[in-house]
Amino acid sequence: MAACRRVQLLLLLMSVSFSVCSIQALKSPSNGNANGDVLPNQQLKSANVPAAAASTLRRGTSWKLADEEACREDVTRLCPKKQWPNNLAVLECLQDRKEDTEIATDCNHLLWNYKLNLTTDPKFESVAGEVCKSTIGEIKECAEEEKGKGYLVSCLVDHRGNISERQCHQYVTKMTTIIFSDFRLICGFMDKCREDINTLHCGSISTGEKDLHSQGEVISCLEKALVREAEQQDQAHSIQDGCKKSIMRVAELSADDFHLDRHLYFACREDRERFCEDTQVGEGRVYKCLFNHKFEEAMSEKCRDALTTRQKLIAQDYKVSYSLAKACKTDLRKYRCNLDTNMPRAREARLSYLLLCLEAAVHRGRTVNGECQGEMLDYRRMLMEDFSLSPEIVLHCRGEIEAHCSGLHRKGRTLHCLMRVARGEKGAAMDSMCQNALQTLIQSADPGADYRIDRALNEACESVIQTACKHIRNGDPMILSCLMEHLYTEKMVEDCEHRLLELQYFISRDWKLDPILYKKCQSDASRLCHTHGWNETSESMPLGAVFSCLYRHAYRTEEQGRRPDPDENLSRDCKVEVQRILHQRALDVKLEPELQKRCMTDLGKWCSDRTETGQELECLQDHLEDLIVECREIVGNLTELESEDIQIEALLIRACEPVIQTHCHDVADNQIDTGDLMECLVRNKHQREMNDKCAVGVTHFQLVQMKDFRFSYKFKMACKEDVLKLCPNIKKKVDVVVCLSTTVRNDTLQDVKEQRVALKCRKQLRVEELEMSEDIRLEPELHDSCRHDIKRLCSGVEFGNAQMIECLKENKKQLSQQCHQKIFKLQETEMMDPELDYQLMRVCKQMIKRFCTESDAKNMLQCLKQNKNSELMDPKCKQMITKRQITQNTDYRLNPVLRKACKADIPKFCQDILRKASDDTELEGEVVSCLKLKYADQRLSSDCEDQIRVILQESALDYRLDPQLQMHCSEEITRLCPEEAAAQEQTGQVEECLKGNLLKIKQEACKKEVLTMLKESKADIFVDPVLHTACALDLKHHCAAIPPGRGRQMSCLLEALEDKRVRLQPECKKRLQDRIDMWTFAARVAPAEGFSDLARQVLLSPSKNYILLMIVLSVCVLFVIGLMCGRITKRVVKELKDR
């Protein structure tokens, strides 16, 4: 303890001042007068006071400084006349003169000796005892001090914050200005710091070498040296520990009144008048006012430097701030913020430690008084405004500041520049020690709790806050969250966007820096993630690990073969906050610490040119298979989270807001999304409310889902057990879908009693199959096989809406073999399950509702075909149905109904065709043509005959449905029937034209096809639509009782034509006669190729009775001739024998 440690002389001097100025009645003449006249002769002699001054001082107790010859001129020139009678007022006046004003050397010496005698007179302790009598009684430590050694006054200094007695407080405060004017007057200071003062050349030790009253510069010099040492600057002098303590003690004692920091007082005297004229002196108020104006343009550089030095001392020891130490004294003791025996005392005193300790209490929900919180806010703002107040930043970030952030010292700009460097926006990597220093500073300042702490952010975002976040209370932590929600929106301004992301980069790396998250999740984090206290760190738990742990538990689902433990789930409030943070972090890949750390190499390798908003994560997802293992794992985990809660993709949700509000509002309102929202967006992907941004985002997510079935949350949850059992070791979603679909199809075809794939999985599998049919890119194998064909044939076609697949189908004959095979397989699948035909289902959506509501999904195309010619049928849908019919007729395998009905007939009659067929190329209608011929021969089974009749009827109306006819007669149609072909009325006019121009057809293959048509029309009038239309009434009147098929109704009409008693309709009669002529000609140009063909022609001939009669007669004649020849032969033989 001792007086030297507590600066006893300072308070001794204070006691004299107060006793002189305020309580004259307490002093006897021997102790001094009201002017502070207490200079014993012995002391004057030893002080080397000039003779004139000494003689004057000896004259009596009414000695006045103003009367001394050495100072009379200076007092008259510098001090108001009313101050002359009071020695202390004169002393203060001369000490506080302006810098450019000098006083005589003799006067300087006289004043210094006067102060020295005041501070060394033991009688002043008794004065202090009288002035502060009640205060000493209240302060136990001071009452027990040994008298006569100056310890009492030293004790009063230490407890001056607790002095409530007005006179005693004034008495102590007033005299401080005298003692702090010269470091040599502070007991023990010169002894402890003499060596450092000389080494650093901070000033003179003896009198006479310089202005005696500028010795405050010496303390300022030592303070700056102490700061340089803390910042480990080059060639920094290491100050002795005893001197360090003395320097900090002096700074602490001058904390309440800026007059006591003589260097700062002189440096900032004019600035004080400019900025803080109305601010009352005391309790550090002037300091705080000047701190607040430190970066004003009008602030002088000299004052700014002095203030910065003062702030750096506060950063090293919070007690240097009087207001902070006083306001937080109770809370510091209450929360044991300076009782950690494991820490060195220097750390306990650090401002950052104090802030961390008290912030921890606030974050834990403890009560910290409002005045203390206000002080904390001021000093947190101070740390964020000036990077130089943090020695670690100055030390470890020196290179980054010089290279990237020079000249940005004011208003926190340097710190934000360093944050940009940390984010990698300056094109250079930041040193880990610098980044750790930044992280520590931000944790100390805790701007996440109040955005106003970050002045650069506050100024940049003021307009956004006023418009977008005006509903939130000023200073509320939710302001930052509100700003993040409006990131990349029209309300956000560019400067605010940059400052916000720079700060969020560090907040995202320490979950505790988000006060709302910490408050809601601290118990969960302690229970599930084994976290430490708010202001404690652990090297074993890297940055971002706690939040990663929280979101894993927030989105914990049933693991494979294991049910989740309810005790491992987050509380509802915590889960909501975790979701909020995830939604915000998805805006920028750099806000996800683990992602940036593990994927730095891949980001540079694959995504260097994709740095726009949200593009980096999309790029990583696109290159998922190419990423290194660590990066692929974290990207996969994030994608899996997105599949469960697509609202994490905030940019996508904003882009899709119109379609969500119109079509998906019911699922969007769910607090916990389970993949329903994305499913709804995919389902409504082509609604008019869907904009390009939303469509691109949804499609991208669909494409990413193809890489791993886990990325489709609903599919994963519905089918994970089936995948493990039936499709092990398969990862890609498309492969899993194919595997499960094949299993379902096989089980269905085999009519198994119990499907191997669960019902819930089958339902979700159907959803996935339908989604995949919409875009060729969702089927990677197909897309890869047809990539070159797409560029060559469909370069102008957009992806999506199955347009690309439709383009490839229409250009099927020009496709490469590889692509053609895949398209054929796709068509085969679609024909078996028309619901997977996206274009058909889209174009005919309304017609399906009108005509096929009761039809099974697999019979949808069949139903549409049956209603194709309805007057209510939509033309576009009709056109699409025709396309599908054309496709079906190219190969019997694309017509599942025909394939099933003719499964016995096809191998029986068309084996030669099947032998040369491959599994994945069309037969161009050859099998169907083969079956048509057998239909004409009436050799098909009844089921097959019915299906062929339907095909014949359909192709008779539209020549395009007959692949062989279209292939062989396309040129003839163009030449002979251009008008009929252009009309596309699907009424059989093209076929009729070809029949009528049979003689003009030059190509033999086409002529053969037309003759085949004529041949088929004999077998059934329904395959001749023109004739059927013309004879419809006659069929009703004359042939109603005759069943259709096998040429029966045609024979009926021909018999009616020959019967003169029957009168047919003129049009029917004309058409029938034309057909007879055609058949006659056909028989001439196309003779029978075999006996069966001949028999068929005879039976179908209009003159079949005549022909049959002639055949019978011929047989009879031959029989008679035979008999006659036999008798003659027998007679001849007998005659020969008789001979």
Side-chain angles (χ1 to χ4, degrees), residues 984-1001:
Q984 293 188 354
E985 293 181 354
Q986 299 183 16
T987 56
Q989 294 302 317
V990 174
E991 290 87 339
E992 191 68 17
C993 173
L994 287 173
K995 292 173 185 177
N997 291 280
L998 182 59
L999 294 175
K1000 299 178 182 179
I1001 295 175

Short mmCIF file of all heavy atoms in Angstrom, two decimals, residues 984-1001:
data_model
loop_
_atom_site.label_atom_id
_atom_site.label_comp_id
_atom_site.label_asym_id
_atom_site.label_seq_id
_atom_site.Cartn_x
_atom_site.Cartn_y
_atom_site.Cartn_z
N GLN A 984 -55.46 -31.34 -94.10
CA GLN A 984 -55.33 -32.11 -92.86
C GLN A 984 -56.67 -32.23 -92.12
O GLN A 984 -56.75 -32.03 -90.91
CB GLN A 984 -54.28 -31.47 -91.93
CG GLN A 984 -52.87 -31.56 -92.47
CD GLN A 984 -51.85 -31.10 -91.44
OE1 GLN A 984 -52.19 -30.61 -90.38
NE2 GLN A 984 -50.58 -31.26 -91.79
N GLU A 985 -57.70 -32.54 -92.89
CA GLU A 985 -59.04 -32.62 -92.29
C GLU A 985 -59.31 -33.99 -91.66
O GLU A 985 -60.30 -34.16 -90.97
CB GLU A 985 -60.09 -32.34 -93.36
CG GLU A 985 -60.06 -30.90 -93.86
CD GLU A 985 -61.13 -30.64 -94.90
OE1 GLU A 985 -61.81 -31.61 -95.29
OE2 GLU A 985 -61.28 -29.48 -95.29
N GLN A 986 -58.41 -34.96 -91.92
CA GLN A 986 -58.53 -36.29 -91.35
C GLN A 986 -59.90 -36.92 -91.66
O GLN A 986 -60.58 -37.46 -90.81
CB GLN A 986 -58.30 -36.25 -89.82
CG GLN A 986 -56.91 -35.75 -89.45
CD GLN A 986 -56.67 -35.77 -87.96
OE1 GLN A 986 -57.40 -36.43 -87.23
NE2 GLN A 986 -55.65 -35.05 -87.52
N THR A 987 -60.25 -36.80 -92.95
CA THR A 987 -61.53 -37.40 -93.40
C THR A 987 -61.30 -38.41 -94.52
O THR A 987 -62.23 -38.79 -95.23
CB THR A 987 -62.48 -36.29 -93.90
OG1 THR A 987 -61.83 -35.54 -94.93
CG2 THR A 987 -62.91 -35.38 -92.77
N GLY A 988 -60.04 -38.82 -94.72
CA GLY A 988 -59.72 -39.82 -95.73
C GLY A 988 -59.60 -39.28 -97.13
O GLY A 988 -59.55 -40.07 -98.09
N GLN A 989 -59.51 -37.96 -97.28
CA GLN A 989 -59.45 -37.37 -98.62
C GLN A 989 -58.14 -37.68 -99.34
O GLN A 989 -58.12 -37.85 -100.57
CB GLN A 989 -59.67 -35.86 -98.53
CG GLN A 989 -61.05 -35.45 -98.05
CD GLN A 989 -62.15 -36.00 -98.95
OE1 GLN A 989 -62.03 -35.98 -100.19
NE2 GLN A 989 -63.21 -36.52 -98.36
N VAL A 990 -57.05 -37.77 -98.61
CA VAL A 990 -55.77 -38.08 -99.23
C VAL A 990 -55.80 -39.50 -99.78
O VAL A 990 -55.37 -39.77 -100.92
CB VAL A 990 -54.61 -37.90 -98.22
CG1 VAL A 990 -53.29 -38.39 -98.85
CG2 VAL A 990 -54.49 -36.46 -97.79
N GLU A 991 -56.31 -40.43 -98.99
CA GLU A 991 -56.42 -41.82 -99.43
C GLU A 991 -57.33 -41.93 -100.68
O GLU A 991 -57.01 -42.65 -101.65
CB GLU A 991 -56.97 -42.70 -98.32
CG GLU A 991 -56.01 -42.91 -97.15
CD GLU A 991 -56.13 -41.83 -96.10
OE1 GLU A 991 -56.63 -40.72 -96.44
OE2 GLU A 991 -55.71 -42.05 -94.95
N GLU A 992 -58.43 -41.17 -100.64
CA GLU A 992 -59.36 -41.19 -101.76
C GLU A 992 -58.69 -40.65 -103.02
O GLU A 992 -58.88 -41.16 -104.14
CB GLU A 992 -60.60 -40.37 -101.43
CG GLU A 992 -61.73 -40.52 -102.41
CD GLU A 992 -62.35 -41.92 -102.37
OE1 GLU A 992 -62.13 -42.66 -101.38
OE2 GLU A 992 -63.05 -42.27 -103.33
N CYS A 993 -57.88 -39.62 -102.81
CA CYS A 993 -57.14 -39.03 -103.94
C CYS A 993 -56.18 -40.04 -104.53
O CYS A 993 -56.07 -40.17 -105.76
CB CYS A 993 -56.41 -37.78 -103.47
SG CYS A 993 -55.31 -37.06 -104.69
N LEU A 994 -55.47 -40.76 -103.70
CA LEU A 994 -54.52 -41.75 -104.18
C LEU A 994 -55.24 -42.89 -104.92
O LEU A 994 -54.77 -43.36 -105.96
CB LEU A 994 -53.71 -42.33 -103.01
CG LEU A 994 -52.65 -41.40 -102.39
CD1 LEU A 994 -52.05 -42.03 -101.15
CD2 LEU A 994 -51.57 -41.07 -103.40
N LYS A 995 -56.39 -43.30 -104.39
CA LYS A 995 -57.15 -44.36 -105.06
C LYS A 995 -57.61 -43.89 -106.44
O LYS A 995 -57.55 -44.63 -107.43
CB LYS A 995 -58.35 -44.75 -104.22
CG LYS A 995 -58.00 -45.46 -102.90
CD LYS A 995 -59.25 -45.66 -102.04
CE LYS A 995 -58.92 -46.25 -100.68
NZ LYS A 995 -60.14 -46.36 -99.84
N GLY A 996 -58.07 -42.65 -106.49
CA GLY A 996 -58.55 -42.12 -107.75
C GLY A 996 -57.45 -41.91 -108.77
O GLY A 996 -57.70 -41.90 -109.97
N ASN A 997 -56.23 -41.72 -108.31
CA ASN A 997 -55.09 -41.49 -109.20
C ASN A 997 -54.16 -42.70 -109.26
O ASN A 997 -52.95 -42.56 -109.50
CB ASN A 997 -54.29 -40.27 -108.73
CG ASN A 997 -55.04 -38.97 -108.91
OD1 ASN A 997 -55.09 -38.41 -110.00
ND2 ASN A 997 -55.65 -38.49 -107.83
N LEU A 998 -54.76 -43.85 -109.06
CA LEU A 998 -53.95 -45.06 -109.03
C LEU A 998 -53.15 -45.24 -110.31
O LEU A 998 -51.98 -45.65 -110.28
CB LEU A 998 -54.87 -46.28 -108.80
CG LEU A 998 -54.17 -47.64 -108.69
CD1 LEU A 998 -53.17 -47.65 -107.53
CD2 LEU A 998 -55.20 -48.74 -108.49
N LEU A 999 -53.77 -44.92 -111.45
CA LEU A 999 -53.10 -45.10 -112.73
C LEU A 999 -51.93 -44.13 -112.90
O LEU A 999 -51.03 -44.38 -113.71
CB LEU A 999 -54.09 -44.92 -113.88
CG LEU A 999 -55.21 -45.97 -113.98
CD1 LEU A 999 -56.19 -45.61 -115.07
CD2 LEU A 999 -54.61 -47.36 -114.22
N LYS A 1000 -51.96 -43.02 -112.17
CA LYS A 1000 -50.91 -41.99 -112.31
C LYS A 1000 -49.74 -42.21 -111.35
O LYS A 1000 -48.73 -41.51 -111.44
CB LYS A 1000 -51.50 -40.60 -112.06
CG LYS A 1000 -52.59 -40.22 -113.04
CD LYS A 1000 -53.15 -38.84 -112.70
CE LYS A 1000 -54.28 -38.47 -113.66
NZ LYS A 1000 -54.85 -37.15 -113.33
N ILE A 1001 -49.90 -43.13 -110.45
CA ILE A 1001 -48.82 -43.37 -109.48
C ILE A 1001 -47.67 -44.07 -110.19
O ILE A 1001 -47.85 -45.09 -110.86
CB ILE A 1001 -49.34 -44.24 -108.30
CG1 ILE A 1001 -50.40 -43.46 -107.51
CG2 ILE A 1001 -48.18 -44.64 -107.40
CD1 ILE A 1001 -51.05 -44.25 -106.42
#
